[in-house]
Amino acid sequence: MEKKQAFNPYLPGWEYVPDGEPRIFNGRLYVYGSHDRFNGKGFCLNDYVCWSAPLDDLGNWRYDGVIYRKDQDPKNPKGKMNMNAPDVVQGPDGRYYLYYQLAVLTCSSVAVSDRPDGPFRDANHFQPLIPPGMTPTNSYDPDVILPDEEDGRAWIVFGSDWTDHYWALQLDESMTRVLPHTAQKVPVWPDAETPRELLGELRSDQAEAFRYGNTWYLYWAGRYATSKNRLGPYVFRGNIGADIPHYPDGR
């Protein structure tokens, strides 16, 4: 198979997919994200799209098209509300779940598909994924942490209106509801050598959590933190870059 040479940016110049969320399904790397518009007067004006490439040829990207339109959300029939940073995971039933938030609402939503490249459809029929009042803050830019051998529960982590922690809620088995009374803070602390102001505000950016080896990593807006536990507390380690030290022990 002839392979294409990889370049940066890896997507064409006419495409605008910020808040990129990479996920691997069935031997392909899929990139999801919000969708800006050329010369748009705001952020996230377009429908969700997807791009993907085979893991053995990451220079060969394919446009998978629109996977979920704004007007498909029952709360947004005229498509006037924009959709912010999403996440997609495969549930225990083998289907794929798209988690997202309409820009002017305070509760995240979920859509479902039989394929990772869609099309997705509303999964909750007007019912919010996270009912109002379940946490003392808004919920946006969701990230889902699937169960693993360490913790058999799926959690959804989302942005908050606070500057020193995120919030997490446990998902039920259907992947379309959160369980009551499971809200937990995911604290992020500066280490002893880092000025507090370098941590920056957490509230405006999507958090991504994953485990590598025995260490959990949380990253947002070019910054990252580490922990020994998936829900923290996390210790801020600095900006992502070539000269950032590595902490394999999860300190």
Side-chain angles (χ1 to χ4, degrees):
M1 179 178 63
E2 182 180 354
K3 293 188 177 183
K4 296 182 179 180
Q5 183 176 353
F7 295 94
N8 278 321
Y10 62 91
L11 296 184
W14 50 263
E15 186 61 285
Y16 301 88
V17 181
D19 303 315
E21 178 70 50
R23 292 288 187 178
I24 296 174
F25 303 120
N26 305 320
R28 291 187 71 86
L29 176 64
Y30 292 83
V31 173
Y32 308 92
S34 52
H35 197 193
D36 287 348
R37 182 179 301 169
F38 179 70
N39 279 339
K41 296 182 179 180
F43 299 110
C44 315
L45 295 175
N46 287 339
D47 301 321
Y48 285 139
V49 299
C50 178
W51 288 79
S52 67
L55 291 178
D56 61 354
D57 189 5
L58 292 178
N60 188 14
W61 286 89
R62 180 184 74 194
Y63 176 59
D64 292 318
V66 174
I67 61 172
Y68 192 65
R69 303 188 317 274
K70 292 189 294 182
D71 61 9
Q72 286 182 254
D73 188 296
K75 301 180 292 299
N76 194 29
K78 295 183 179 180
K80 293 185 177 181
M81 290 185 282
N82 304 334
M83 297 185 296
N84 292 342
D87 191 15
V88 175
V89 297
Q90 188 173 21
D93 59 359
R95 297 192 297 174
Y96 300 87
Y97 291 86
L98 171 84
Y99 298 87
Y100 66 97
Q101 179 243 351
L102 293 169
V104 300
L105 300 183
T106 60
C107 291
S108 298
S109 300
V110 58
V112 65
S113 174
D114 295 326
R115 297 170 52 94
D117 55 357
F120 286 82
R121 61 188 182 277
D122 172 66
N124 266 357
H125 308 293
F126 290 96
Q127 298 299 317
L129 172 73
I130 304 172
M134 189 167 285
T135 66
T137 181
N138 296 339
S139 63
Y140 47 82
D141 293 356
D143 175 61
V144 175
I145 309 174
L146 289 175
D148 62 10
E149 65 276 8
E150 182 180 287
D151 186 341
R153 298 171 292 180
W155 291 86
I156 184 166
V157 180
F158 51 88
S160 71
D161 290 332
W162 302 87
T163 59
D164 61 353
H165 64 268
Y166 289 94
W167 281 95
L169 285 161
Q170 186 183 343
L171 287 165
D172 69 5
E173 292 182 357
S174 76
M175 302 293 286
T176 63
R177 297 284 195 280
V178 296
L179 295 174
H181 313 301
T182 60
Q184 293 191 32
K185 289 182 179 180
V186 182
V188 183
W189 300 332
D191 62 22
E193 300 178 356
T194 302
R196 178 64 179 80
E197 59 269 19
L198 292 183
L199 179 58
E201 291 194 358
L202 308 181
R203 55 166 293 185
S204 61
D205 293 284
Q206 182 181 32
E208 305 293 336
F210 64 93
R211 189 174 69 174
Y212 182 76
N214 295 322
T215 301
W216 280 93
Y217 291 83
L218 182 78
Y219 67 93
W220 72 98
R223 303 178 178 96
Y224 84 108
T226 63
S227 175
K228 294 181 179 179
N229 304 299
R230 60 166 34 180
L231 297 183
Y234 285 85
V235 177
F236 175 61
R237 298 304 184 186
N239 296 326
I240 297 174
D243 57 347
I244 295 297
H246 182 64
Y247 296 88
D249 60 354
R251 290 181 293 152

